[in-house]
Amino acid sequence: MKQLVTKKSHDAFAEACKYIPGGVNSPVRAFGPVGGKPLFIASGSGCKITDIDGNSYIDYVCSWGPLILGHAHAAVIEKVNATLQKGTSFGAPTILETQLAKLIKEAIPSVEKVRMVNSGTEATMSAIRLARGYTKRNLVIKFDGCYHGHVDGLLIQAGSGATTLGIPTSPGIPQDYARNTLTLPFNDIDAVKDVCNRRGSETACIIVEPVAGNMGVVPPKPGYLQGLREITRKHGIVLIFDEVMTGFRVAYGGAQTLYSVAPDLTTLGKIIGGGFPVGAFGGRAEIMDCLAPSGSVYQAGTLSGNPVAMAAGIATLEKLKGKDTYKTLENLSKKLGEGLETSARNAGVPTCHTRVGSMLCTFFTDKPVTDYATAKKSDTQRYAAYFRGMLERGIYLAPSQFEAVFVSIAHGEKEIEATIKASTEVMKGIK
Ligand SMILES: *Cc1c(COP(=O)(O)O)cnc(C)c1O
């Protein structure tokens, strides 16, 4: 193992800090939770990224999920290039928008109509406005540790970035906003029943990550999502599945297909943009048609449905639709998950391993992780040591305990084996 030299990244970070708050354009990119300084990336190809000092890493962040095909996938680059030549934005409809909408609707049966936006945050923000406009109610129920973007009313007990930075909520959010958001523990159906029995008639929507992926990976307990469906139906509450991370990730049709539960609205992002800034929200036509211009709930975007971003999304979904993609992902991810678990067990390091398809997590705790409270029991110092050891061995994990490991179709058996080997070495050194 050679010493990792990252001088150019360190210099670039110092320079960035002069102009950009904290040197990064999104807090989770900073290495705060694990110590050290972020790497500056020069290029990516397949499952690997190369930093500006010339070090290569097997990448399990995959731009925080979008790059399920790996970096610079030929089909995506080709379609993006061809689209780019014809112009970058028109602020008028293009056929590409309908094509991507159609692909999404075909993949996710609960989505009858879909509106494109520019980020996952915009998608959840708009979906909530729509749910409130449709129901004429104000209250929103969310779950501790679920992250739905940095929307004012949702940045309450919001997982990952907020968790590792120790910001339970953020300054700048009026108390009045927070008052309209109720947070409950994830995976506790009785808590939902109880609140809805008391306040169901005031509640516009329940928003949930059907597989929580922003407090590490926490799968839903059997029957939990079905339970949410029953309660929301009973009280006339709009059920929103935030599938920004899980859509086209845990299955082509998202978590709702995997668990056979149809929400009223679904928010999407990440994978559907193929590495470009895209979000979307969709669902029952009756609700979606409340949006302007067909209805009165206002929502708009200068660059929404941007042709270049649509092209990347279409190329990505078409590739994913191919035979056996998810089987391959499942096999690779299973092998990785089991290998990581064995590496910890053999070294006697207490861990809890979770996985749904190609999203997985190693929590440094010996207790089962089922919600935010149990996720927070993890030893983040141990994770930091693990992260650093892996990085030195050319494995790029998320710089936070409370994030997922993402496997792409560009990861091969060889890289999975190299990762397990690295983990075996690193776990032995964890105190
Ligand atoms: C990433 C994420 C978001 C926010 O998406 P951005 O594009 O970062 O605004 C929202 N919800 C979930 C579940 C996410 O994982």
Side-chain angles (χ1 to χ4, degrees):
M1 192 183 86
K2 63 178 191 330
Q3 185 67 34
L4 195 59
V5 178
T6 54
K7 183 175 184 313
K8 286 185 182 159
S9 276
H10 286 188
D11 292 347
F13 184 56
E15 182 73 0
C17 285
K18 291 187 206 158
Y19 306 101
I20 301 170
V24 291
N25 280 312
S26 191
V28 285
R29 290 179 201 171
F31 276 21
V34 290
K37 296 183 180 130
L39 300 174
F40 278 58
I41 306 305
S43 65
S45 175
C47 70
K48 297 209 171 137
I49 48 172
T50 302
D51 68 18
I52 58 174
D53 287 275
N55 306 298
S56 276
Y57 309 85
I58 301 172
D59 178 22
Y60 289 102
V61 177
C62 294
S63 189
W64 302 94
L67 300 182
I68 194 166
L69 302 182
H71 294 269
H73 189 279
V76 177
I77 299 293
E78 200 178 302
K79 192 165 176 75
V80 164
N81 271 337
T83 308
L84 200 51
Q85 302 308 316
K86 299 180 203 162
T88 53
S89 180
F90 309 108
T94 64
I95 289 168
L96 294 167
E97 293 159 75
T98 313
Q99 284 175 356
L100 185 54
K102 192 167 169 219
L103 279 165
I104 291 171
K105 178 177 159 137
E106 283 165 1
I108 307 177
S110 74
V111 173
E112 294 172 346
K113 288 195 176 174
V114 59
R115 164 100 12 125
M116 300 296 168
V117 292
N118 304 290
S119 70
T121 296
E122 249 190 88
T124 59
M125 178 185 87
S126 308
I128 280 173
R129 181 181 305 149
L130 177 59
R132 284 173 163 156
Y134 172 75
T135 57
K136 303 187 171 57
R137 301 173 180 175
N138 281 335
L139 221 55
V140 171
I141 295 177
K142 77 174 287 286
F143 300 97
D144 296 343
C146 282
Y147 176 68
H148 305 292
H150 62 99
V151 180
D152 278 349
L154 295 177
L155 206 54
I156 291 155
Q157 299 288 343
S160 179
T163 302
T164 29
L165 292 173
I167 309 172
T169 179
S170 167
I173 298 178
Q175 271 294 305
D176 288 350
Y177 285 39
R179 213 171 283 140
N180 281 316
T181 307
L182 297 179
T183 64
L184 297 175
F186 184 69
N187 263 333
D188 179 352
I189 202 68
D190 290 334
V192 181
K193 250 182 225 158
D194 181 51
V195 161
C196 288
N197 281 338
R198 286 183 287 116
R199 303 194 67 181
S201 62
E202 301 163 64
T203 305
C205 61
I206 292 184
I207 184 166
V208 66
E209 288 182 75
V211 175
N214 287 286
M215 47 172 147
V217 177
V218 184
K221 284 184 182 165
Y224 179 65
L225 299 174
Q226 284 83 355
L228 292 180
R229 181 65 281 185
E230 279 160 29
I231 296 166
T232 47
R233 194 169 281 138
K234 179 174 160 203
H235 293 278
I237 297 166
V238 174
L239 179 61
I240 306 175
F241 276 7
D242 181 355
E243 298 230 43
V244 170
M245 186 184 287
T246 53
F248 299 93
R249 166 61 65 183
V250 296
Y252 187 68
Q256 57 194 274
T257 302
L258 193 64
Y259 296 100
S260 304
V261 180
D264 301 300
L265 294 178
T266 299
T267 54
L268 295 163
K270 298 195 168 113
I271 288 175
I272 63 158
F276 282 79
V278 178
F281 62 107
R284 280 166 47 203
E286 181 206 351
I287 305 178
M288 291 303 291
D289 282 335
C290 294
L291 280 177
S294 46
S296 55
V297 177
Y298 197 70
Q299 191 282 324
T302 302
L303 291 170
S304 291
N306 174 267
V308 183
M310 295 296 103
I314 292 164
T316 301
L317 299 202
E318 277 175 347
K319 179 75 194 167
L320 285 174
K321 215 162 60 164
K323 210 167 145 275
D324 289 346
T325 320
Y326 288 87
K327 210 155 95 197
T328 307
L329 273 171
E330 170 65 23
N331 291 340
L332 286 169
S333 309
K334 183 164 187 277
K335 183 168 178 174
L336 178 63
E338 289 173 355
L340 296 181
E341 187 161 356
T342 305
S343 74
R345 195 175 333 109
N346 288 348
V349 179
T351 51
C352 166
H353 297 258
T354 54
R355 181 177 76 83
V356 179
S358 55
M359 284 167 65
L360 46 144
C361 188
T362 302
F363 290 101
F364 284 82
T365 167
D366 55 355
K367 301 270 167 9
V369 174
T370 56
D371 59 12
Y372 190 42
T374 45
K376 276 198 300 188
K377 292 241 162 33
S378 301
D379 186 331
T380 53
Q381 293 302 318
R382 277 197 179 146
Y383 180 82
Y386 182 67
F387 167 86
R388 287 192 298 270
M390 293 298 274
L391 194 68
E392 281 161 12
R393 286 164 181 79
I395 313 292
Y396 189 82
L397 301 172
S400 161
Q401 163 74 88
F402 305 104
E403 299 287 353
V405 166
F406 293 109
V407 180
S408 79
I409 61 162
H411 289 82
E413 298 276 344
K414 201 175 110 220
E415 287 88 11
I416 300 293
E417 278 159 22
T419 307
I420 295 169
K421 180 170 174 279
S423 183
T424 305
E425 285 174 24
V426 176
M427 283 291 184
K428 280 185 193 142
I430 302 276
K431 302 232 170 38

